[in-house]
Amino acid sequence: MEQEFLMSLIMIIGIDLLLGGDNAIVIAMASRNLPPKQRKKAVILGTVFAIGVRIMLTSVAVYLFQIPFVQLIGGILLLYIAYHLIVGTEEKEEEIKSHQSLRKAVQTIVLADMLMGMDNVIAVAGAANGQTFLVIIGLLISIPIMIWGSNLILKILDKYPALIYIGGGMLAYTAGKMIIHEHKLAPIFHTHPSMGVMLPYLLILFLILSGFIYQRIEKNENLP
């Protein structure tokens, strides 16, 4: 029993780390416009709340994925979040209302993590064999790595702001994968497999072009 417990725990930690890269990107993107002190709070609070939501979702994963169109709705919402993270206006630090901006960043982190974590939830639920205690331990161990990863990405985004499009593209790709895994749409993608292959990449292209066009329009409007 001990060996089985340890193997399950190692598998859960591995899954959390392997699939946690996109979570770190979301945390970094959502908190990049905050002042440095608020950033740290957003990263920690966002990660803790997101982990709590992930534990609850994993506990009810079997029932959650029986609900029709959950994956489709989640994919659309994630695409919406990705778009707003890309086109988010660069506010000056002194113009930011700390409590409102912090709350919004934390809300974005939790919602995006909940939507993106669908595959993670399924994988962890399977590895845990119904043992919620295992899920909690695995996620708690992965917390510092997620926080460290998001802080590293924040530093990179500060130095190279254009990389925000890569992060947005990754979220769009995840949204596309969620949509094509929707059970109710399976007959369509089975009949037209090329649609399933192309959709994630088309969403990346759509998101990046939309964000680029929006930024250009904003820049032209702000010219004297």
Side-chain angles (χ1 to χ4, degrees):
M1 285 296 290
E2 280 187 24
Q3 187 176 358
E4 187 178 333
F5 179 87
L6 286 173
M7 284 300 296
S8 296
L9 180 59
I10 290 168
M11 284 179 64
I12 289 170
I13 293 171
I15 291 165
D16 286 327
L17 298 183
L18 286 172
L19 301 180
D22 49 9
N23 304 79
I25 290 170
V26 168
I27 293 168
M29 289 173 68
S31 55
R32 77 187 194 282
N33 288 332
L34 294 173
K37 289 182 181 179
Q38 297 291 339
R39 278 185 180 184
K40 291 180 181 178
K41 288 181 182 178
V43 167
I44 294 170
L45 287 174
T47 302
V48 170
F49 283 125
I51 291 292
V53 171
R54 186 73 66 85
I55 291 170
M56 289 188 290
L57 284 177
T58 306
S59 302
V60 296
V62 176
Y63 306 100
L64 184 68
F65 288 95
Q66 290 176 352
I67 302 172
F69 300 112
V70 164
Q71 294 267 54
L72 174 63
I73 294 168
I76 293 170
L77 285 173
L78 184 58
L79 192 64
Y80 174 81
I81 290 170
Y83 173 77
H84 278 273
L85 286 175
I86 282 183
V87 303
T89 53
E90 300 291 329
E91 300 171 282
K92 291 182 181 177
E93 186 170 313
E94 62 270 16
E95 293 174 349
I96 295 177
K97 295 180 181 178
S98 299
H99 65 283
Q100 290 182 0
S101 297
L102 177 62
R103 185 182 66 216
K104 189 177 290 186
V106 171
Q107 286 174 346
T108 301
I109 290 167
V110 173
L111 180 57
D113 180 85
M114 182 179 69
L115 296 172
M116 293 182 71
M118 296 296 186
D119 291 340
N120 195 325
V121 164
I122 294 173
V124 169
N129 296 315
Q131 299 182 65
T132 307
F133 180 63
L134 268 175
V135 175
I136 294 170
I137 293 176
L139 288 169
L140 288 176
I141 291 173
S142 68
I143 284 176
I145 297 169
M146 286 175 61
I147 292 174
W148 178 83
S150 57
N151 281 324
L152 177 63
I153 294 168
L154 269 169
K155 291 177 182 177
I156 294 172
L157 287 177
D158 277 343
K159 195 168 184 180
Y160 307 103
L163 292 179
I164 195 73
Y165 286 98
I166 294 177
M170 292 181 70
L171 300 189
Y173 182 84
T174 305
K177 286 291 186 182
M178 289 176 66
I179 292 171
I180 63 177
H181 287 149
E182 170 56 52
H183 297 301
K184 291 292 183 180
L185 300 180
I188 297 173
F189 294 119
H190 181 72
T191 308
H192 306 284
S194 58
M195 286 177 61
V197 174
M198 293 297 296
L199 183 62
Y201 300 101
L202 289 174
L203 290 180
I204 291 173
L205 184 61
F206 170 75
L207 183 75
I208 292 175
L209 284 176
S210 299
F212 181 76
I213 291 169
Y214 178 91
Q215 296 285 9
R216 293 287 293 182
I217 292 172
E218 281 285 298
K219 188 175 180 181
N220 290 334
E221 286 181 354
N222 291 332
L223 287 175

